[in-house]
Amino acid sequence: MKLIVKKTVALSGQVSPPGSKSQSIRAIMLASLCRGTSVIKNCLRASDTADAIRVCRAMGAVISESDDMLTITGRGLPLDMQTERIDSGHSGLTTHFIMPLLGFRKNPDHPVVLDCSKQMRARPIKPLVDALCNLGLQIDYLENPDTLPVRLSGQLTGGKTIVDGTTSQYLSALLFALPLAPDDSEMIVNHLQERPYVEMTLQWLSRQGIQVDHRAGGGADIWKIKGGQFYQPFHAVIAGDFSSAACLIAAAVLVPGDVILQGIDMNDPQGDKQLVYILREMGADIEIQPTRLRIRGGKKLTGIKIDARDIPDLLPILAVIGTIAFGKTEICHVAHARIKETDRIHSMFDGLSRMGANIIEQDDGLIIYQSALSGAQVKGFGDHRTVMALAVAGMIADGETVIDESEAIHKTFPEFVEIMQSIGANLEGEHATLA
C-alpha cells in the first residue's frame, strides 16, 4: 500500500489513540500464565497483538475476543503446548517475552521451534539466548547464528546470568518469567536503556505482589528475583498508546488548529509521554488535562538537544519536528534505534533528505536544521513508526508525498489514516492493483 499525503492547512476535532501496544502485550502474556480467567479492556487490536494472541493460544490459553475486550483463561503452569512450532510473527515484544516462557512447558525435554517473520529474523537475539542458556534452557540456532529460528529444550530453572540492556525487552521478558522458575535468580544488567518500559513491567509485577529486588551500582543494575511465585487472574483497562499518539500530537502541534486528544493517562509509565514535555519546551501550546490533551497548533518552535536513550520509538517523529523548529535540533544517545523494525536513524535520514531537509546522520542519532520540506517519493522501510512520521512530514511539506510499504501501520495503528482524516489531514491510502 502507498500513502499519499498533501499539505494540510488546518487540523481540528477530537481523536483517541488506540490502546498501548506495550501494555496490551504484557497483559495478554500475564493473563495467559494465570490459572483462571482475566478480562482486558481497551486492548490494542492490531497485528502485533494478534501475534501475541496466537502465541498465547499455542501455549494453551483460551482467548475470546469482542469489540471492546479480551477474555483470557489460562491453565497455569506447566504450559500445555498446543504445537511443536510457534510463529511470533512481526512482534519483537512477543518474540522476546515468549522465549523464556517456553521453559515452562509440560514436557521440557521435548523440543519446540520458535520462528518469526523475515523482518524479525533480521533482529539479533544472541544476548537473550545467552542469558537463557545460563538459566537452564538449551537453545540451538537453526539457520543463522544470533537470529531466529531457534530450537528450545529444557526448563527455565533460574540462577545467575548477565543481561545486555541495549533493548529493555530482554530484561522485561526475564522479569516476567523468572518469578515462576523453581529457583531464585540474580541478573546483572549492563547498559540498560529504555528504563520506562522496565518500570511498566515492574508495575504489572507489583500489582501481582511479585517480589523483585533492584539495586544499581558500578554502572550496572542488579536484579534479584525470588522463585516459586505465581500470577493471579485480573481485570485491567489498557491506557491509550503514547507511541501511536506521538504522530497525532506532533501533527496537531505542527499544523495550525485546535485538536483534543482523548483517552490518555499522563500517569501511565509509558516513556513516550515525554514527547508532550519536549514539545512544550520547544514552544508548543499543549494543555494537559486529567484524561486528555488540548493542542493549539502552528506555534513557533525552537530546536533543542534531546537525549532519546529512553524513548527510541520517538526518534522518527522528533526528526520531523526538527525540520520545522527554529535553529538546530539534536537527537542523541539512541543508537539502539538502529535495531528496531528497521534502522530508524537511517530511514528518517533517507526520507527527510529526499524531502529537502538539512539533516545529518550520526552513529547515535540525528542533527536536524530548520528546513523547507517538499513532497517526494519516500521509502517506508516496512516500519510503522517511519511511515507515520513521514506522513506527518508530508502534511507540512509543499506538494505531494508518496510513502511506500505503508501497510506497516497495521502493526500498531490500523486506523491511522482514518483518524488523521477525521481531523482534516490531507492523506489517503492507495492499494496496489494486480495487472
Side-chain angles (χ1 to χ4, degrees), residues 8 28 45 47 90 113 126 156 188 196 203 208 213 248 250 266 291 294 301 316 325 329 333 392 431:
T8 297
I28 292 167
R45 311 306 291 273
S47 66
H90 293 293
V113 171
K126 187 177 186 297
L156 190 73
I188 299 174
Q203 187 180 79
Q208 288 279 329
D213 178 69
L248 299 176
M266 292 299 290
T291 59
R294 182 172 185 178
L301 304 183
T329 298
H333 300 145
V392 175
H431 292 272

Side-chain angles (χ1 to χ4, degrees), residues 102-423:
L102 292 174
F104 300 131
R105 304 183 320 285
K106 184 177 290 184
N107 299 306
D109 293 329
H110 191 74
V112 61
V113 171
L114 175 62
D115 202 353
C116 59
S117 69
K118 180 179 179 181
Q119 185 184 59
M120 266 303 302
R121 283 187 178 193
R123 297 171 70 173
I125 58 166
K126 187 177 186 297
L128 181 56
V129 168
D130 290 347
L132 290 173
C133 288
N134 291 332
L135 296 167
L137 288 184
Q138 179 179 330
I139 303 177
D140 301 307
Y141 297 109
L142 295 182
E143 293 187 10
N144 300 310
D146 194 22
T147 62
L148 291 169
V150 295
R151 181 174 53 244
L152 302 95
S153 58
Q155 181 183 12
L156 190 73
T157 56
K160 294 184 178 182
T161 195
I162 298 174
V163 184
D164 177 60
T166 300
T167 168
S168 65
Q169 291 182 9
Y170 300 155
L171 174 58
S172 283
L174 291 167
L175 286 172
F176 248 56
L178 287 173
L180 306 176
D183 300 333
D184 296 349
S185 298
E186 180 177 319
M187 296 185 290
I188 299 174
V189 185
N190 296 312
H191 315 297
L192 181 58
Q193 311 282 351
E194 306 173 337
R195 288 181 183 269
Y197 289 106
V198 179
E199 291 301 319
M200 184 186 297
T201 299
L202 293 173
Q203 187 180 79
W204 282 101
L205 299 183
S206 177
R207 291 171 183 163
Q208 288 279 329
I210 297 298
Q211 297 181 43
V212 176
D213 178 69
H214 170 240
R215 62 183 175 87
D221 291 78
I222 300 173
W223 302 80
K224 293 184 178 181
I225 303 107
K226 183 176 176 58
Q229 302 183 71
F230 59 91
Y231 295 129
Q232 302 180 42
F234 61 91
H235 286 216
V237 179
I238 303 300
D241 193 319
F242 277 96
S243 301
S244 293
C247 287
L248 299 176
I249 295 169
V253 165
L254 301 182
V255 178
D258 191 342
V259 174
I260 292 175
L261 182 68
Q262 304 181 102
I264 54 91
D265 179 3
M266 292 299 290
N267 293 317
D268 195 84
Q270 296 176 63
D272 286 352
K273 67 185 178 184
Q274 187 65 26
L275 178 65
V276 174
Y277 302 110
I278 291 170
L279 282 167
R280 288 177 69 169
E281 181 181 351
M282 297 176 79
D285 184 352
I286 304 177
E287 179 184 348
I288 301 174
Q289 300 176 359
T291 59
R292 67 181 195 170
L293 303 174
R294 182 172 185 178
I295 305 168
R296 298 172 179 88
K299 307 300 182 184
K300 180 181 177 180
L301 304 183
T302 301
I304 60 173
K305 185 173 182 177
I306 303 166
D307 184 336
R309 74 186 69 206
D310 287 336
I311 49 173
D313 286 347
L314 291 183
L315 178 136
I317 196 61
L318 288 171
V320 175
I321 293 166
T323 66
I324 212 167
F326 176 77
K328 179 176 77 171
T329 298
E330 183 176 355
I331 309 167
C332 59
H333 300 145
V334 67
H336 46 300
R338 293 190 183 276
I339 57 170
K340 298 294 183 177
E341 284 80 347
T342 190
D343 178 343
R344 287 179 176 157
I345 294 174
H346 182 70
S347 70
M348 292 310 300
F349 170 79
D350 181 87
L352 292 176
S353 294
R354 290 170 186 260
M355 298 178 74
N358 184 354
I359 183 170
I360 300 170
E361 179 176 354
Q362 299 191 303
D363 290 342
D364 71 339
L366 294 165
I367 296 175
I368 311 102
Y369 294 90
Q370 187 178 32
S371 308
L373 300 183
S374 299
Q377 299 238 358
V378 295
K379 300 177 182 179
F381 289 90
D383 175 38
H384 53 137
R385 307 283 180 219
T386 296
V387 170
M388 290 188 284
L390 290 174
V392 175
M395 292 166 56
I396 60 174
D398 291 326
E400 180 179 275
T401 299
V402 180
I403 310 165
D404 70 6
E405 296 187 76
S406 59
E407 64 275 7
I409 60 176
H410 295 285
K411 182 176 173 66
T412 53
F413 200 168
E415 305 87 4
F416 174 75
V417 172
E418 291 77 12
I419 287 179
M420 277 295 195
Q421 289 172 336
S422 75
I423 56 174

